[in-house]
């Protein structure tokens, strides 16, 4: 027996048109910027011809910064997973006013401007020469900034799931703490972990304000290099840098979403 199909309402088509218009409004500037990085002269447009010269110049001049940003994003993801997921689990089990106060304290860096957070880190650790000059200093800032974006989605999923009942059922079957955590808690939190991972990677890759204060000439990241390219070089070079950013971030996002698509 075939399922009856109902005609689309006028409201549905209005919502669809509005969604497409908003999407075009947001995407069009990025497409224009990308095309500028592929043209010989951005002010003449496509009529000047297409070229990969500017992309090659970006890769030649800023490849270390690009690779450093990818490395930092993956390290930041690893640290926030190792810290954020257990922290969310502890807060979900603790509950009460103390848990809420701890949660608000962990989320506080999001409410503070990145420049203020970066300045605080510089003042606190400026005397630690080796640490101050290394990528670990930037990583500390990125973890501080992105940890709430891992903590909140995971905690929300845990709050929506009846984890206590599931764990009690697993415990009644003889499962120990680690068995319950890895076989019961983590699988049920996969949507929150996936959402947090996407947020952490994209925020770490694109973070500028905090990184601008924390970086040194030898630890320049992709967003800092992008700002430098737009400020000191031709518009085409900065636009090509934007294209390279998209080429890097889109495969990372797709790779992170694959586990969710298979579930």
């Amino acid at each position: 027996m075939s399922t009856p199909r109902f005609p689309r309402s006028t409201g549905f088509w209005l919502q669809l048109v509005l969604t497409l218009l908003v999407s075009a409004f947001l995407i069009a500037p990025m497409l224009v910027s990308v095309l500028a990085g592929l043209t010989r002269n951005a002010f003449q447009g496509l009529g000047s011809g297409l070229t990969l010269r500017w992309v090659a110049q970006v890769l030649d001049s800023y490849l270390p910064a690009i690779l450093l940003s990818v490395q930092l994003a993956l390290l930041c993801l690893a640290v926030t997973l190792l810290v954020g997921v257990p922290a969310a689990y502890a807060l979900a089990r603790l509950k009460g006013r103390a848990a809420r106060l701890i949660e608000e304290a962990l989320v506080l860096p999001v409410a503070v401007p990145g420049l203020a957070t970066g300045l605080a880190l510089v003042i606190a650790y400026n005397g630690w020469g080796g640490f101050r000059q290394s990528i670990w200093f930037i990583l500390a800032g990125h973890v501080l900034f992105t940890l709430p974006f891992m903590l909140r989605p995971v905690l929300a999923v845990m709050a929506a799931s009846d984890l206590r009942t599931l764990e009690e059922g697993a415990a009644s079957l003889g499962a120990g703490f680690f068995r319950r955590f890895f076989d019961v808690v983590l699988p049920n939190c996969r949507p929150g972990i996936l959402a947090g991972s996407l947020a952490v990677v994209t925020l770490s890759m694109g973070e500028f304000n905090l990184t601008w204060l924390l970086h040194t000439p030898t630890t320049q990241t992709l967003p800092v290099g992008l700002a430098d390219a737009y400020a000191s070089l031709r518009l085409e070079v900065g636009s090509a840098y934007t294209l390279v950013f998209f080429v890097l971030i889109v495969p990372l996002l797709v790779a992170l979403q694959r586990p969710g698509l298979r579930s």
Side-chain angles (χ1 to χ4, degrees):
M1 182 178 179
S2 60
T3 304
R5 295 185 178 182
F6 299 97
R8 302 289 190 182
S9 64
T10 303
F12 168 80
W13 292 111
L14 289 176
Q15 292 176 4
L16 178 61
V17 171
L18 178 62
T19 302
L20 292 176
L21 288 175
V22 172
S23 299
F25 178 79
L26 295 174
I27 295 173
M30 293 184 288
L31 292 178
V32 172
S33 178
V34 167
L35 286 176
L38 296 174
T39 57
R40 296 184 184 279
N41 190 308
F43 297 101
Q44 295 179 8
L46 294 177
S48 63
L50 297 175
T51 180
L52 292 175
R53 169 190 172 187
W54 313 117
V55 175
Q57 184 172 336
V58 167
L59 294 177
D60 181 62
S61 302
Y62 294 98
L63 184 59
I66 294 170
L67 295 178
L68 179 60
S69 281
V70 175
Q71 181 183 359
L72 278 171
L74 296 178
L75 287 172
C76 188
L77 175 60
V79 174
T80 52
L81 282 172
L82 291 173
V83 176
V85 176
Y89 176 72
L91 290 174
R93 293 298 302 268
L94 181 61
K95 295 185 178 181
R97 180 173 296 181
R100 300 289 75 80
L101 290 175
I102 296 173
E103 180 184 349
E104 293 304 322
L106 291 173
V107 176
L108 186 61
V110 177
V112 179
L115 289 175
T117 303
L119 182 60
L121 288 171
V122 170
I123 294 174
Y125 300 109
N126 195 44
W128 298 25
F131 178 60
R132 174 67 181 89
Q133 302 296 324
S134 69
I135 67 168
W136 305 110
F137 188 54
I138 300 177
L139 178 63
H142 281 210
V143 170
L144 185 65
F145 175 68
T146 60
L147 183 60
F149 295 93
M150 176 64 73
L151 181 71
R152 274 292 174 86
V154 176
L155 187 57
V157 173
M158 288 183 177
S161 304
D162 193 2
L163 288 181
R164 185 179 296 275
T165 301
L166 294 174
E167 285 193 87
E168 288 176 353
S172 67
L173 296 174
F177 171 78
F178 291 102
R179 185 72 180 274
R180 297 197 305 269
F181 183 77
F182 287 102
D183 291 350
V184 176
V185 176
L186 291 185
N188 280 279
C189 296
R190 180 178 293 180
I193 293 174
L194 175 60
S197 298
L198 292 173
V200 167
V201 170
T202 52
L203 288 171
S204 179
M205 287 282 290
E207 213 299 312
F208 171 75
N209 291 331
L210 179 68
T211 313
W212 184 73
L213 274 178
L214 301 183
H215 88 285
T216 66
T218 59
T219 57
Q220 186 183 71
T221 63
L222 194 152
V224 176
L226 177 59
D228 177 66
Y230 272 113
S232 60
L233 299 173
R234 291 185 54 150
L235 175 63
E236 294 87 351
V237 177
S239 298
Y241 208 125
T242 304
L243 173 60
V244 171
F245 177 82
F246 284 129
V247 170
L248 283 174
I249 196 66
V250 170
L252 276 175
L253 295 180
V254 172
L256 286 172
Q257 292 185 73
R258 286 183 66 87
L261 294 175
R262 288 197 298 265
S263 61

